[in-house]
Coordinates of all heavy atoms in Angstrom, one line a residue:
F66 N 62.5 14.4 -5.9 CA 62.4 14.2 -7.4 C 61.1 14.8 -7.9 O 60.9 14.8 -9.1 CB 62.4 12.7 -7.7 CG 61.2 11.9 -7.2 CD1 60.2 11.7 -8.0 CD2 61.2 11.5 -5.9 CE1 59.1 11.0 -7.6 CE2 60.1 10.8 -5.4 CZ 59.0 10.6 -6.3
L67 N 60.2 15.3 -7.0 CA 59.1 16.0 -7.5 C 59.3 17.5 -7.3 O 59.7 17.9 -6.2 CB 57.8 15.6 -6.7 CG 57.5 14.1 -6.8 CD1 56.4 13.8 -5.8 CD2 57.0 13.8 -8.2
H68 N 59.2 18.3 -8.4 CA 59.6 19.7 -8.3 C 58.4 20.6 -8.2 O 57.5 20.5 -9.0 CB 60.4 20.0 -9.6 CG 61.6 19.2 -9.8 ND1 62.8 19.3 -9.0 CD2 61.9 18.1 -10.6 CE1 63.7 18.4 -9.4 NE2 63.1 17.7 -10.4
G69 N 58.5 21.5 -7.2 CA 57.6 22.6 -7.1 C 56.1 22.2 -7.1 O 55.7 21.3 -6.3
N70 N 55.3 22.9 -7.9 CA 53.9 22.6 -8.0 C 53.6 21.2 -8.5 O 52.5 20.7 -8.2 CB 53.2 23.7 -8.9 CG 53.3 25.1 -8.3 OD1 53.3 25.2 -7.1 ND2 53.3 26.1 -9.2
L71 N 54.5 20.7 -9.3 CA 54.2 19.3 -9.8 C 54.1 18.4 -8.6 O 53.3 17.4 -8.6 CB 55.4 18.9 -10.7 CG 55.3 17.5 -11.3 CD1 54.0 17.3 -12.1 CD2 56.5 17.2 -12.1
A72 N 54.9 18.6 -7.6 CA 54.8 17.7 -6.4 C 53.5 17.8 -5.7 O 52.9 16.8 -5.4 CB 56.0 18.0 -5.4
Q73 N 53.0 19.0 -5.5 CA 51.8 19.2 -4.8 C 50.6 18.7 -5.7 O 49.7 18.0 -5.1 CB 51.5 20.7 -4.6 CG 52.5 21.3 -3.6 CD 52.3 22.8 -3.3 OE1 51.4 23.3 -3.9 NE2 53.1 23.3 -2.5
N74 N 50.6 18.9 -7.0 CA 49.5 18.4 -7.8 C 49.5 16.9 -7.9 O 48.5 16.3 -7.9 CB 49.7 19.0 -9.2 CG 49.4 20.5 -9.3 OD1 48.7 21.0 -8.4 ND2 50.0 21.2 -10.2
S75 N 50.7 16.3 -7.9 CA 50.8 14.9 -7.9 C 50.2 14.3 -6.7 O 49.6 13.2 -6.6 CB 52.2 14.4 -8.1 OG 52.7 14.9 -9.4
E76 N 50.6 14.9 -5.5 CA 50.1 14.4 -4.2 C 48.6 14.5 -4.2 O 47.9 13.6 -3.8 CB 50.6 15.3 -3.1 CG 52.1 15.0 -2.9 CD 52.7 16.1 -1.9 OE1 52.0 16.9 -1.5 OE2 54.0 16.0 -1.7
K77 N 48.0 15.6 -4.7 CA 46.5 15.7 -4.8 C 45.9 14.7 -5.6 O 44.9 14.1 -5.3 CB 46.1 17.1 -5.2 CG 46.4 18.2 -4.3 CD 46.0 19.6 -4.8 CE 46.3 20.7 -3.8 NZ 45.9 22.0 -4.3
L78 N 46.5 14.5 -6.8 CA 46.0 13.4 -7.7 C 46.1 12.1 -7.1 O 45.1 11.3 -7.1 CB 46.9 13.4 -9.0 CG 46.5 12.3 -10.0 CD1 45.1 12.5 -10.5 CD2 47.5 12.4 -11.2
F79 N 47.2 11.8 -6.4 CA 47.3 10.5 -5.7 C 46.3 10.3 -4.6 O 45.6 9.2 -4.6 CB 48.7 10.4 -5.1 CG 49.0 9.1 -4.4 CD1 49.0 7.9 -5.1 CD2 49.1 9.0 -3.0 CE1 49.3 6.7 -4.5 CE2 49.3 7.8 -2.4 CZ 49.4 6.7 -3.1
V80 N 46.1 11.3 -3.8 CA 45.1 11.2 -2.7 C 43.7 11.1 -3.3 O 42.8 10.4 -2.8 CB 45.2 12.4 -1.8 CG1 44.1 12.4 -0.7 CG2 46.6 12.4 -1.1
G81 N 43.4 11.9 -4.4 CA 42.1 11.8 -5.0 C 41.8 10.4 -5.5 O 40.7 10.0 -5.3
R82 N 42.7 9.7 -6.0 CA 42.5 8.4 -6.4 C 42.3 7.4 -5.3 O 41.5 6.5 -5.3 CB 43.6 7.9 -7.3 CG 43.8 8.6 -8.6 CD 44.8 7.9 -9.5 NE 45.0 8.7 -10.8 CZ 44.2 8.5 -11.8 NH1 43.2 7.6 -11.8 NH2 44.4 9.1 -12.9
M83 N 43.0 7.7 -4.2 CA 42.8 6.8 -3.0 C 41.4 7.0 -2.4 O 40.9 6.1 -1.7 CB 43.9 7.1 -2.0 CG 45.3 6.7 -2.4 SD 45.4 4.9 -2.6 CE 45.1 4.4 -0.9
R84 N 40.8 8.2 -2.6 CA 39.5 8.5 -1.9 C 38.3 8.1 -2.9 O 37.2 8.5 -2.6 CB 39.5 9.9 -1.5 CG 40.4 10.3 -0.4 CD 40.3 11.8 0.0 NE 39.0 12.1 0.5 CZ 38.6 11.9 1.8 NH1 39.5 11.4 2.6 NH2 37.4 12.2 2.2
L85 N 38.6 7.4 -3.9 CA 37.5 7.1 -4.8 C 36.3 6.3 -4.2 O 35.2 6.6 -4.5 CB 38.0 6.3 -6.1 CG 38.5 7.2 -7.2 CD1 39.1 6.4 -8.3 CD2 37.4 8.1 -7.7
P86 N 36.6 5.3 -3.3 CA 35.4 4.6 -2.7 C 34.5 5.6 -2.0 O 35.0 6.5 -1.3 CB 36.1 3.6 -1.8 CG 37.5 3.5 -2.3 CD 37.9 4.8 -2.9
A87 N 33.2 5.4 -2.1 CA 32.3 6.3 -1.4 C 32.4 6.0 0.1 O 32.0 5.0 0.5 CB 30.9 6.1 -1.9
V88 N 32.8 7.0 0.9 CA 33.0 6.8 2.3 C 32.2 7.8 3.0 O 32.1 9.0 2.7 CB 34.5 7.0 2.7 CG1 34.7 6.8 4.1 CG2 35.4 6.1 1.8
G89 N 31.4 7.3 4.0 CA 30.6 8.1 4.9 C 29.6 8.9 4.1 O 29.1 9.9 4.6
G90 N 29.1 8.4 3.0 CA 28.0 9.0 2.2 C 28.5 10.1 1.3 O 27.8 10.6 0.5
A91 N 29.8 10.4 1.3 CA 30.3 11.4 0.4 C 30.4 10.9 -1.0 O 30.7 9.7 -1.2 CB 31.7 11.9 0.9
R92 N 30.2 11.7 -2.0 CA 30.3 11.3 -3.4 C 31.5 11.9 -4.1 O 31.6 13.1 -4.2 CB 29.0 11.7 -4.1 CG 29.0 11.3 -5.6 CD 27.7 11.8 -6.3 NE 26.5 11.3 -5.6 CZ 25.3 11.8 -5.9 NH1 25.2 12.7 -6.8 NH2 24.3 11.3 -5.2
N93 N 32.5 11.1 -4.5 CA 33.7 11.6 -5.1 C 33.6 11.2 -6.6 O 33.7 10.0 -6.9 CB 34.9 10.9 -4.5 CG 35.0 11.3 -3.0 OD1 35.2 12.4 -2.6 ND2 34.9 10.3 -2.2
V94 N 33.4 12.1 -7.4 CA 33.1 11.9 -8.8 C 34.3 12.2 -9.7 O 34.3 11.9 -10.9 CB 31.9 12.7 -9.4 CG1 30.7 12.2 -8.7 CG2 32.1 14.2 -9.1
G95 N 35.4 12.7 -9.2 CA 36.6 13.0 -9.9 C 37.8 12.4 -9.3 O 37.8 11.9 -8.2
T96 N 38.9 12.5 -10.1 CA 40.2 12.0 -9.5 C 40.9 12.9 -8.6 O 41.8 12.6 -7.9 CB 41.1 11.6 -10.7 OG1 41.3 12.7 -11.5 CG2 40.5 10.4 -11.5
F97 N 40.5 14.2 -8.7 CA 41.2 15.2 -7.9 C 40.4 15.4 -6.6 O 39.2 15.4 -6.5 CB 41.2 16.6 -8.6 CG 42.1 16.5 -9.8 CD1 41.5 16.3 -11.1 CD2 43.5 16.6 -9.7 CE1 42.3 16.2 -12.2 CE2 44.3 16.6 -10.8 CZ 43.7 16.4 -12.1
A98 N 41.2 15.6 -5.5 CA 40.6 15.8 -4.2 C 39.9 17.1 -4.1 O 40.3 18.1 -4.7 CB 41.7 15.7 -3.1
L99 N 38.8 17.1 -3.3 CA 38.1 18.4 -3.0 C 38.9 19.2 -2.0 O 39.5 18.7 -1.1 CB 36.7 18.1 -2.5 CG 35.8 17.3 -3.4 CD1 34.5 16.9 -2.7 CD2 35.5 18.1 -4.6
G100 N 38.8 20.5 -2.2 CA 39.4 21.4 -1.2 C 38.6 21.4 0.1 O 37.5 21.0 0.1
D101 N 39.2 22.0 1.1 CA 38.5 22.1 2.4 C 37.1 22.9 2.2 O 36.1 22.5 2.8 CB 39.3 22.8 3.4 CG 40.5 21.9 3.8 OD1 40.5 20.7 3.6 OD2 41.5 22.5 4.3
K102 N 37.2 23.9 1.5 CA 36.0 24.8 1.3 C 34.9 24.0 0.6 O 33.7 24.0 0.9 CB 36.3 26.0 0.5 CG 35.2 27.0 0.4 CD 35.6 28.3 -0.3 CE 34.4 29.2 -0.4 NZ 34.8 30.5 -1.1
Q103 N 35.3 23.2 -0.5 CA 34.3 22.4 -1.2 C 33.7 21.4 -0.3 O 32.5 21.1 -0.4 CB 35.0 21.8 -2.4 CG 35.3 22.8 -3.5 CD 36.1 22.1 -4.6 OE1 37.2 21.5 -4.4 NE2 35.6 22.3 -5.8
Q104 N 34.5 20.7 0.5 CA 34.0 19.7 1.4 C 33.0 20.3 2.4 O 31.9 19.7 2.7 CB 35.1 19.1 2.2 CG 36.0 18.2 1.4 CD 37.0 17.4 2.2 OE1 36.6 17.0 3.3 NE2 38.2 17.2 1.7
E105 N 33.3 21.5 2.9 CA 32.3 22.1 3.9 C 31.0 22.4 3.2 O 29.9 22.2 3.7 CB 32.9 23.4 4.4 CG 34.1 23.1 5.4 CD 34.7 24.4 5.9 OE1 34.2 25.5 5.5 OE2 35.7 24.3 6.6
E106 N 31.1 22.9 1.9 CA 29.8 23.2 1.2 C 29.0 21.9 0.9 O 27.8 21.9 1.0 CB 30.2 23.9 -0.1 CG 30.7 25.3 0.1 CD 31.1 25.9 -1.3 OE1 31.0 25.2 -2.3 OE2 31.5 27.1 -1.3
E107 N 29.7 20.8 0.6 CA 29.0 19.6 0.3 C 28.3 19.1 1.5 O 27.2 18.6 1.5 CB 30.0 18.5 -0.2 CG 29.4 17.2 -0.6 CD 30.4 16.2 -1.1 OE1 31.0 15.6 -0.2 OE2 30.5 16.1 -2.3
K108 N 29.0 19.2 2.7 CA 28.4 18.7 4.0 C 27.1 19.6 4.3 O 26.1 19.1 4.8 CB 29.4 18.8 5.1 CG 30.5 17.8 5.0 CD 31.5 18.0 6.2 CE 32.6 16.9 6.1 NZ 33.6 17.1 7.2
K109 N 27.2 20.9 4.0 CA 26.1 21.8 4.3 C 24.9 21.4 3.4 O 23.7 21.3 3.8 CB 26.4 23.2 4.0 CG 27.3 23.8 5.1 CD 27.7 25.3 4.7 CE 28.6 25.9 5.7 NZ 29.0 27.3 5.4
V110 N 25.2 21.1 2.1 CA 24.1 20.7 1.2 C 23.4 19.4 1.7 O 22.2 19.2 1.7 CB 24.6 20.5 -0.2 CG1 23.6 19.8 -1.1 CG2 25.0 21.8 -0.8
Q111 N 24.3 18.4 2.1 CA 23.8 17.1 2.5 C 23.0 17.3 3.8 O 21.9 16.7 4.0 CB 24.9 16.1 2.8 CG 25.5 15.6 1.5 CD 26.6 14.6 1.7 OE1 27.0 14.4 2.9 NE2 27.1 14.0 0.7
G112 N 23.5 18.1 4.7 CA 22.8 18.4 6.0 C 21.4 19.0 5.7 O 20.4 18.7 6.3
G113 N 21.4 20.0 4.8 CA 20.1 20.6 4.4 C 19.1 19.7 3.9 O 17.9 19.8 4.2
A114 N 19.6 18.8 3.0 CA 18.7 17.8 2.4 C 18.1 16.9 3.4 O 16.9 16.6 3.4 CB 19.4 17.0 1.3
T115 N 18.9 16.5 4.4 CA 18.4 15.6 5.4 C 17.4 16.3 6.3 O 16.4 15.7 6.6 CB 19.6 15.1 6.3 OG1 20.6 14.5 5.4 CG2 19.2 14.1 7.3
G116 N 17.8 17.5 6.7 CA 16.9 18.2 7.6 C 15.5 18.5 6.9 O 14.5 18.4 7.5
G117 N 15.6 18.9 5.6 CA 14.4 19.2 4.9 C 13.5 18.0 4.8 O 12.3 18.1 4.9
A118 N 14.1 16.8 4.5 CA 13.3 15.6 4.4 C 12.6 15.3 5.7 O 11.5 14.8 5.8 CB 14.1 14.5 3.9
A119 N 13.4 15.5 6.8 CA 12.9 15.1 8.1 C 11.7 16.0 8.5 O 10.7 15.5 9.0 CB 14.0 15.2 9.1
S120 N 11.8 17.3 8.2 CA 10.7 18.2 8.5 C 9.5 18.0 7.6 O 8.4 18.1 8.1 CB 11.2 19.7 8.4 OG 11.6 19.9 7.0
A121 N 9.8 17.6 6.4 CA 8.7 17.3 5.5 C 7.9 16.1 5.9 O 6.7 16.0 5.6 CB 9.2 17.1 4.0
G122 N 8.5 15.2 6.6 CA 7.9 14.0 7.1 C 6.8 14.2 8.1 O 5.9 13.5 8.2
G123 N 7.1 15.3 8.9 CA 6.3 15.7 10.1 C 4.9 15.0 10.3 O 4.4 14.4 9.4
G124 N 4.4 14.8 11.4 CA 3.1 14.2 11.6 C 3.1 12.7 11.2 O 4.1 12.2 10.7
N125 N 2.1 12.0 11.5 CA 1.9 10.6 11.1 C 3.1 9.7 11.5 O 3.2 8.6 11.0 CB 1.8 10.5 9.6 CG 0.6 11.2 9.0 OD1 -0.4 11.3 9.7 ND2 0.7 11.8 7.8
N126 N 3.9 10.2 12.5 CA 5.1 9.5 13.0 C 6.0 9.0 11.8 O 6.6 7.9 11.9 CB 4.6 8.3 13.8 CG 3.8 8.7 15.0 OD1 4.2 9.7 15.6 ND2 2.7 7.9 15.3
N127 N 6.1 9.8 10.8 CA 7.0 9.4 9.7 C 8.4 9.8 9.9 O 8.6 10.9 10.5 CB 6.5 10.1 8.4 CG 5.2 9.5 7.9 OD1 4.9 8.3 8.2 ND2 4.5 10.2 7.0
K128 N 9.4 9.0 9.6 CA 10.8 9.4 9.6 C 11.1 10.1 8.4 O 10.6 9.9 7.3 CB 11.6 8.1 9.8 CG 11.4 7.3 11.1 CD 12.3 6.1 11.1 CE 12.1 5.4 12.4 NZ 12.9 4.2 12.5
G129 N 12.1 11.1 8.5 CA 12.5 11.8 7.4 C 13.2 10.9 6.4 O 14.1 10.1 6.8
I130 N 12.9 11.0 5.1 CA 13.5 10.1 4.1 C 14.4 11.0 3.2 O 13.8 12.0 2.6 CB 12.5 9.4 3.3 CG1 11.7 8.4 4.2 CG2 13.1 8.6 2.2 CD1 10.5 7.7 3.6
V131 N 15.7 10.7 3.1 CA 16.5 11.5 2.3 C 16.4 11.1 0.8 O 16.5 10.0 0.5 CB 18.0 11.3 2.7 CG1 18.9 12.2 1.9 CG2 18.1 11.7 4.2
S132 N 16.1 12.1 0.0 CA 16.0 11.8 -1.4 C 16.1 13.1 -2.2 O 15.7 14.2 -1.8 CB 14.6 11.2 -1.8 OG 14.4 11.1 -3.2
Y133 N 16.8 13.1 -3.4 CA 17.0 14.3 -4.2 C 16.0 14.3 -5.3 O 16.1 15.1 -6.2 CB 18.4 14.3 -4.7 CG 18.8 13.2 -5.6 CD1 18.6 13.2 -7.0 CD2 19.5 12.1 -5.1 CE1 19.0 12.2 -7.8 CE2 19.9 11.1 -5.8 CZ 19.7 11.1 -7.2 OH 20.1 10.0 -8.0
W134 N 14.9 13.4 -5.3 CA 14.0 13.3 -6.4 C 12.9 14.4 -6.3 O 12.2 14.6 -7.2 CB 13.3 12.0 -6.4 CG 14.2 10.8 -6.7 CD1 14.7 9.9 -5.8 CD2 14.9 10.5 -7.9 NE1 15.6 9.1 -6.4 CE2 15.7 9.4 -7.7 CE3 14.8 11.1 -9.2 CZ2 16.5 8.8 -8.7 CZ3 15.6 10.5 -10.2 CH2 16.4 9.4 -9.9
G135 N 12.9 15.1 -5.2 CA 11.9 16.2 -5.1 C 10.5 15.8 -4.8 O 9.6 16.6 -4.9
V136 N 10.3 14.5 -4.4 CA 8.9 14.0 -4.1 C 8.7 14.2 -2.6 O 9.2 13.3 -1.9 CB 8.7 12.6 -4.6 CG1 7.3 12.1 -4.3 CG2 9.0 12.4 -6.1
E137 N 8.0 15.2 -2.2 CA 7.8 15.5 -0.8 C 6.3 15.5 -0.5 O 5.5 16.0 -1.3 CB 8.4 16.8 -0.4 CG 9.9 16.8 -0.5 CD 10.5 18.1 0.0 OE1 9.7 19.0 0.4 OE2 11.7 18.3 -0.1
P138 N 5.9 14.8 0.6 CA 4.4 14.8 0.9 C 3.9 16.2 1.2 O 4.6 17.0 1.9 CB 4.4 13.9 2.1 CG 5.7 14.0 2.7 CD 6.7 14.2 1.6

Side-chain angles (χ1 to χ4, degrees):
F66 68 94
L67 299 173
H68 301 287
N70 293 333
L71 177 61
Q73 294 179 359
N74 292 336
S75 300
E76 289 169 1
K77 290 182 180 180
L78 175 61
F79 179 69
V80 175
R82 291 186 183 277
M83 289 300 293
R84 292 180 64 84
L85 272 177
V88 182
R92 182 183 300 170
N93 300 297
V94 295
T96 56
F97 294 97
L99 297 173
D101 292 339
K102 186 176 180 181
Q103 288 175 304
Q104 287 189 37
E105 290 177 4
E106 290 178 355
E107 186 180 78
K108 288 179 181 178
K109 288 180 181 179
V110 170
Q111 289 181 352
T115 305
S120 61
N125 298 327
N126 296 323
N127 287 339
K128 295 182 179 179
I130 299 176
V131 180
S132 174
Y133 61 87
W134 297 107
V136 181
E137 296 184 0

